[in-house]
PDB file of all heavy atoms in Angstrom:
ATOM      1  N   LYS A  47       4.104  -1.001  23.765  1.00  0.00           N
ATOM      2  CA  LYS A  47       4.024   0.402  23.413  1.00  0.00           C
ATOM      3  C   LYS A  47       2.638   0.752  22.836  1.00  0.00           C
ATOM      4  O   LYS A  47       2.372   1.948  22.612  1.00  0.00           O
ATOM      5  CB  LYS A  47       5.110   0.774  22.386  1.00  0.00           C
ATOM      6  CG  LYS A  47       6.504   0.674  22.937  1.00  0.00           C
ATOM      7  CD  LYS A  47       7.498   1.085  21.873  1.00  0.00           C
ATOM      8  CE  LYS A  47       8.935   0.984  22.369  1.00  0.00           C
ATOM      9  NZ  LYS A  47       9.903   1.332  21.358  1.00  0.00           N
ATOM     10  N   GLY A  48       1.897  -0.232  22.507  1.00  0.00           N
ATOM     11  CA  GLY A  48       0.552  -0.004  21.920  1.00  0.00           C
ATOM     12  C   GLY A  48       0.659   0.356  20.470  1.00  0.00           C
ATOM     13  O   GLY A  48      -0.213   1.054  19.927  1.00  0.00           O
ATOM     14  N   VAL A  49       1.697  -0.099  19.757  1.00  0.00           N
ATOM     15  CA  VAL A  49       1.936   0.251  18.361  1.00  0.00           C
ATOM     16  C   VAL A  49       1.568  -1.001  17.564  1.00  0.00           C
ATOM     17  O   VAL A  49       1.572  -2.139  18.004  1.00  0.00           O
ATOM     18  CB  VAL A  49       3.440   0.582  18.206  1.00  0.00           C
ATOM     19  CG1 VAL A  49       3.774   0.929  16.791  1.00  0.00           C
ATOM     20  CG2 VAL A  49       3.827   1.706  19.136  1.00  0.00           C
ATOM     21  N   ASP A  50       1.318  -0.758  16.204  1.00  0.00           N
ATOM     22  CA  ASP A  50       1.035  -1.791  15.296  1.00  0.00           C
ATOM     23  C   ASP A  50       2.183  -2.795  15.207  1.00  0.00           C
ATOM     24  O   ASP A  50       3.345  -2.363  15.024  1.00  0.00           O
ATOM     25  CB  ASP A  50       0.745  -1.236  13.907  1.00  0.00           C
ATOM     26  CG  ASP A  50       0.328  -2.263  12.909  1.00  0.00           C
ATOM     27  OD1 ASP A  50      -0.221  -3.303  13.307  1.00  0.00           O
ATOM     28  OD2 ASP A  50       0.607  -2.026  11.714  1.00  0.00           O
ATOM     29  N   VAL A  51       1.921  -4.045  15.240  1.00  0.00           N
ATOM     30  CA  VAL A  51       2.979  -5.067  15.201  1.00  0.00           C
ATOM     31  C   VAL A  51       3.298  -5.588  13.791  1.00  0.00           C
ATOM     32  O   VAL A  51       4.051  -6.544  13.641  1.00  0.00           O
ATOM     33  CB  VAL A  51       2.600  -6.279  16.093  1.00  0.00           C
ATOM     34  CG1 VAL A  51       2.573  -5.862  17.578  1.00  0.00           C
ATOM     35  CG2 VAL A  51       1.373  -6.947  15.687  1.00  0.00           C
ATOM     36  N   ALA A  52       2.801  -4.900  12.775  1.00  0.00           N
ATOM     37  CA  ALA A  52       3.053  -5.315  11.397  1.00  0.00           C
ATOM     38  C   ALA A  52       4.515  -5.418  11.034  1.00  0.00           C
ATOM     39  O   ALA A  52       4.919  -6.346  10.292  1.00  0.00           O
ATOM     40  CB  ALA A  52       2.339  -4.412  10.438  1.00  0.00           C
ATOM     41  N   PRO A  53       5.436  -4.536  11.514  1.00  0.00           N
ATOM     42  CA  PRO A  53       6.800  -4.660  11.130  1.00  0.00           C
ATOM     43  C   PRO A  53       7.420  -6.021  11.606  1.00  0.00           C
ATOM     44  O   PRO A  53       8.433  -6.448  11.052  1.00  0.00           O
ATOM     45  CB  PRO A  53       7.509  -3.506  11.864  1.00  0.00           C
ATOM     46  CG  PRO A  53       6.412  -2.500  12.045  1.00  0.00           C
ATOM     47  CD  PRO A  53       5.122  -3.287  12.218  1.00  0.00           C
ATOM     48  N   CYS A  54       6.832  -6.671  12.586  1.00  0.00           N
ATOM     49  CA  CYS A  54       7.343  -7.936  13.105  1.00  0.00           C
ATOM     50  C   CYS A  54       7.114  -9.091  12.135  1.00  0.00           C
ATOM     51  O   CYS A  54       7.738 -10.152  12.240  1.00  0.00           O
ATOM     52  CB  CYS A  54       6.699  -8.246  14.415  1.00  0.00           C
ATOM     53  SG  CYS A  54       6.975  -6.978  15.667  1.00  0.00           S
ATOM     54  N   ASP A  55       6.200  -8.882  11.240  1.00  0.00           N
ATOM     55  CA  ASP A  55       5.852  -9.930  10.236  1.00  0.00           C
ATOM     56  C   ASP A  55       7.012 -10.391   9.395  1.00  0.00           C
ATOM     57  O   ASP A  55       7.060 -11.532   8.938  1.00  0.00           O
ATOM     58  CB  ASP A  55       4.748  -9.461   9.287  1.00  0.00           C
ATOM     59  CG  ASP A  55       3.389  -9.412  10.025  1.00  0.00           C
ATOM     60  OD1 ASP A  55       3.287 -10.016  11.148  1.00  0.00           O
ATOM     61  OD2 ASP A  55       2.468  -8.827   9.478  1.00  0.00           O
ATOM     62  N   TRP A  56       8.037  -9.504   9.244  1.00  0.00           N
ATOM     63  CA  TRP A  56       9.263  -9.897   8.498  1.00  0.00           C
ATOM     64  C   TRP A  56       9.909 -11.069   9.156  1.00  0.00           C
ATOM     65  O   TRP A  56      10.340 -12.030   8.543  1.00  0.00           O
ATOM     66  CB  TRP A  56      10.164  -8.656   8.376  1.00  0.00           C
ATOM     67  CG  TRP A  56      11.478  -9.044   7.711  1.00  0.00           C
ATOM     68  CD1 TRP A  56      12.661  -9.267   8.337  1.00  0.00           C
ATOM     69  CD2 TRP A  56      11.711  -9.218   6.316  1.00  0.00           C
ATOM     70  NE1 TRP A  56      13.629  -9.576   7.452  1.00  0.00           N
ATOM     71  CE2 TRP A  56      13.096  -9.570   6.194  1.00  0.00           C
ATOM     72  CE3 TRP A  56      10.919  -9.203   5.195  1.00  0.00           C
ATOM     73  CZ2 TRP A  56      13.627  -9.830   4.952  1.00  0.00           C
ATOM     74  CZ3 TRP A  56      11.459  -9.478   3.986  1.00  0.00           C
ATOM     75  CH2 TRP A  56      12.766  -9.760   3.859  1.00  0.00           C
ATOM     76  N   TYR A  57      10.149 -10.947  10.491  1.00  0.00           N
ATOM     77  CA  TYR A  57      10.816 -12.002  11.207  1.00  0.00           C
ATOM     78  C   TYR A  57      10.006 -13.334  11.148  1.00  0.00           C
ATOM     79  O   TYR A  57      10.573 -14.406  11.043  1.00  0.00           O
ATOM     80  CB  TYR A  57      10.998 -11.604  12.678  1.00  0.00           C
ATOM     81  CG  TYR A  57      11.874 -10.458  12.819  1.00  0.00           C
ATOM     82  CD1 TYR A  57      11.358  -9.244  13.460  1.00  0.00           C
ATOM     83  CD2 TYR A  57      13.223 -10.471  12.530  1.00  0.00           C
ATOM     84  CE1 TYR A  57      12.171  -8.126  13.593  1.00  0.00           C
ATOM     85  CE2 TYR A  57      13.991  -9.333  12.704  1.00  0.00           C
ATOM     86  CZ  TYR A  57      13.493  -8.199  13.244  1.00  0.00           C
ATOM     87  OH  TYR A  57      14.314  -7.072  13.434  1.00  0.00           O
ATOM     88  N   LYS A  58       8.736 -13.165  11.198  1.00  0.00           N
ATOM     89  CA  LYS A  58       7.852 -14.407  11.199  1.00  0.00           C
ATOM     90  C   LYS A  58       8.025 -15.078   9.838  1.00  0.00           C
ATOM     91  O   LYS A  58       8.093 -16.312   9.774  1.00  0.00           O
ATOM     92  CB  LYS A  58       6.389 -13.966  11.400  1.00  0.00           C
ATOM     93  CG  LYS A  58       5.489 -15.194  11.481  1.00  0.00           C
ATOM     94  CD  LYS A  58       4.042 -14.780  11.776  1.00  0.00           C
ATOM     95  CE  LYS A  58       3.144 -16.000  11.931  1.00  0.00           C
ATOM     96  NZ  LYS A  58       1.824 -15.575  12.314  1.00  0.00           N
ATOM     97  N   ARG A  59       8.002 -14.320   8.732  1.00  0.00           N
ATOM     98  CA  ARG A  59       8.133 -14.933   7.435  1.00  0.00           C
ATOM     99  C   ARG A  59       9.487 -15.647   7.301  1.00  0.00           C
ATOM    100  O   ARG A  59       9.558 -16.720   6.670  1.00  0.00           O
ATOM    101  CB  ARG A  59       7.922 -13.888   6.328  1.00  0.00           C
ATOM    102  CG  ARG A  59       6.512 -13.504   6.147  1.00  0.00           C
ATOM    103  CD  ARG A  59       6.320 -12.553   5.023  1.00  0.00           C
ATOM    104  NE  ARG A  59       4.969 -12.308   4.789  1.00  0.00           N
ATOM    105  CZ  ARG A  59       4.425 -12.071   3.643  1.00  0.00           C
ATOM    106  NH1 ARG A  59       5.203 -12.084   2.550  1.00  0.00           N
ATOM    107  NH2 ARG A  59       3.167 -11.820   3.472  1.00  0.00           N
TER     108      ARG A  59
END
Side-chain angles (χ1 to χ4, degrees):
K47 293 180 181 179
V49 182
D50 182 29
V51 295
C54 302
D55 289 345
W56 174 259
Y57 298 115
K58 184 176 183 176
R59 286 184 174 213

